[in-house]
Amino acid sequence: MAAVTFTNITKRYKDGPKAVDDLNLQIADGEFMVLVGPSGCGKSTALRMIAGLEEISDGTLAIGERVVNEVPPGDRDIAMVFQNYALYPHMTVFENMAYGLKIRGMNMAEIRKRVADAAEMLEIGPLLERKPRQLSGGQRQRVAMGRAVVREPKLFLFDEPLSNLDAKLRVQMRAEIRRLQKRLGVTSLFVTHDQVEAMTLGDRLVVMHQGRAAQVASPMEVWGVPADTYVAGFIGSPAMNFLKATLALDGTGARLAAGPAQAFADGPRRGAEGEALTIGIRPEHVVHAPDTTEALPLAIELVEPLGSETVIHGRLPSGETLVARLPLAASAIGEVLPVLLPASAWHVFSAAGLRLPTAAAA
């Protein structure tokens, strides 16, 4: 096993923008790190630079104590699991899993032992004589993982490996990947655009934005204390609501465009009275308050019943949209729903979109 260290890593393409821009990141020995973000954010490019499939324009990349900028991919002691499985169609499952070991010159007895152990771990022992075309998508993904496991590498790289699976199978394979990584203790980097995969798999997340790390933290810290409006809007489903506000009450609170001033629950902010702010509140923290005179009227525009809860899309008197996730049995388009936006659930951001700390923490 080995740690991975990005030091001022940049990847620029000829006549194009920077795909990765001055990335500094430390992945600890044995850690499961997830790079998450939308298409084009630089996450896959970062992974491919570790694999040696992309050249590094600037900076230093180290695996363990070894700088690998100029080390060929085959000499980096890594194993990669791809989105499209990348299995050889003319080979059996056994042959696919054994191929990398054979070309390294390993003796057949050791190869058979490693393949058998990995097949037992992944519950694909009965499939060893089948060809990939005879397997389901989930079985093919297990074979791809088995091919990586038998190499006993220092580092696992997962490049959106679950994207081609149906929703039920993705849940199952997420659990299997996490269980496998915990059992083997191998340093792992997992790339995905799926925030649910990111939240459920990673020891830490790197939320990527325009080639940079917008935030590096544990899943619950990213969800609970997002660094900026980009991270806050990307992590969470439905996405966080953002409402216009101004600093009020001598810095001890904010006045929403949609409603009256409220005091901050966690302490005052520095700034001038009337300074523009953005208040974020997650849909699950909006409160249905039918018996409260302070409630805001939310004109319902869309209702999404999900069984145990309902997602309500509506519009506030300020003209701003608001999404609420509520335990309501029935609501209808055109109704007006009284809601509260409790200050205890606010995320306070500056006009530039950065998280605004309390005066005591600033």
Side-chain angles (χ1 to χ4, degrees):
M1 294 186 292
V4 179
T5 306
F6 288 78
T7 305
N8 304 121
I9 291 289
T10 294
K11 173 64 182 180
R12 66 174 67 84
Y13 294 101
K14 185 178 180 180
D15 301 324
K18 293 178 182 178
V20 174
D21 187 6
D22 196 30
L23 180 62
N24 290 281
L25 181 65
Q26 175 81 35
I27 305 171
D29 188 15
E31 183 176 24
F32 197 121
M33 178 76 83
V34 177
L35 267 64
V36 62
S39 297
C41 70
K43 59 188 186 297
S44 290
T45 302
L47 178 138
R48 289 172 63 83
M49 285 192 286
I50 297 176
L53 303 178
E54 292 280 2
E55 291 185 0
I56 296 169
S57 303
D58 293 300
T60 301
L61 176 66
I63 299 177
E65 301 298 322
R66 183 188 188 194
V67 175
V68 297
N69 289 46
E70 306 299 330
V71 176
D75 296 333
R76 297 191 181 195
D77 197 12
I78 60 175
M80 193 163 178
V81 180
F82 296 92
Q83 177 179 344
N84 62 356
Y85 319 130
L87 302 177
Y88 296 108
H90 62 288
M91 293 184 181
T92 65
V93 167
F94 176 88
E95 291 167 338
N96 266 283
M97 292 174 65
Y99 181 73
L101 304 180
K102 285 182 178 179
I103 63 175
R104 290 184 172 193
M106 185 176 290
N107 69 73
M108 185 53 66
E110 179 63 18
I111 290 175
R112 290 188 182 280
K113 181 180 184 305
R114 288 199 185 188
V115 171
D117 288 348
E120 180 182 3
M121 186 186 309
L122 293 164
E123 300 180 355
I124 54 174
L127 309 178
L128 290 177
E129 298 307 315
R130 295 188 189 181
K131 299 285 184 67
R133 66 176 179 273
Q134 298 172 295
L135 306 177
S136 68
Q139 290 169 336
R140 292 179 191 178
Q141 193 55 270
R142 285 192 181 90
V143 174
M145 290 166 57
R147 182 178 55 191
V149 168
V150 297
R151 293 182 56 185
E152 299 181 0
K154 291 181 180 177
L155 179 65
F156 283 141
L157 302 178
F158 296 91
D159 189 10
E160 304 214 37
L162 308 183
S163 295
N164 291 336
L165 304 180
D166 62 49
K168 182 177 180 180
L169 193 52
R170 280 201 303 272
V171 173
Q172 180 183 344
M173 291 302 297
R174 281 203 306 267
E176 291 190 11
I177 288 173
R178 192 61 173 121
R179 186 163 50 245
L180 177 68
Q181 193 273 339
K182 284 289 189 184
R183 177 174 176 177
L184 299 176
V186 178
T187 308
S188 300
L189 183 66
F190 189 104
V191 163
T192 182
H193 64 274
D194 186 321
Q195 59 169 291
V196 176
E197 285 181 12
M199 291 289 291
T200 55
L201 282 172
D203 295 322
R204 286 190 299 157
L205 309 186
V206 184
V207 184
M208 296 290 293
H209 181 47
Q210 296 180 346
R212 291 179 171 268
Q215 187 168 5
V216 182
S218 69
M220 290 312 297
E221 185 177 352
V222 169
W223 184 85
V225 193
D228 56 27
T229 52
Y230 169 78
V231 175
F234 185 79
I235 298 294
S237 181
M240 183 181 286
N241 297 291
F242 296 112
L243 302 171
K244 294 179 181 179
T246 55
L247 196 61
L249 305 175
D250 295 324
T252 63
R255 184 180 303 279
L256 295 171
Q262 295 187 55
F264 296 127
D266 54 354
R269 266 67 176 180
R270 292 178 180 171
E273 186 83 8
E275 181 178 321
L277 304 174
T278 296
I279 297 296
I281 186 167
R282 295 201 179 277
E284 54 268 35
H285 295 151
V286 176
V287 176
H288 178 218
D291 301 319
T292 305
T293 57
E294 297 174 351
L296 301 176
L298 181 66
I300 298 175
E301 297 180 337
L302 176 65
V303 177
E304 296 179 302
L306 301 177
S308 62
E309 59 190 11
T310 302
V311 177
I312 304 290
H313 300 252
R315 195 168 296 274
L316 295 167
S318 60
E320 297 168 298
T321 59
L322 184 80
V323 179
R325 192 170 185 166
L326 301 167
L328 295 176
S331 295
I333 294 173
E335 288 184 4
V336 175
L337 192 72
V339 295
L340 289 176
L341 311 177
S344 59
W346 284 0
H347 297 263
V348 185
F349 302 99
S350 69
L354 299 178
R355 188 173 193 86
L356 196 62
T358 62

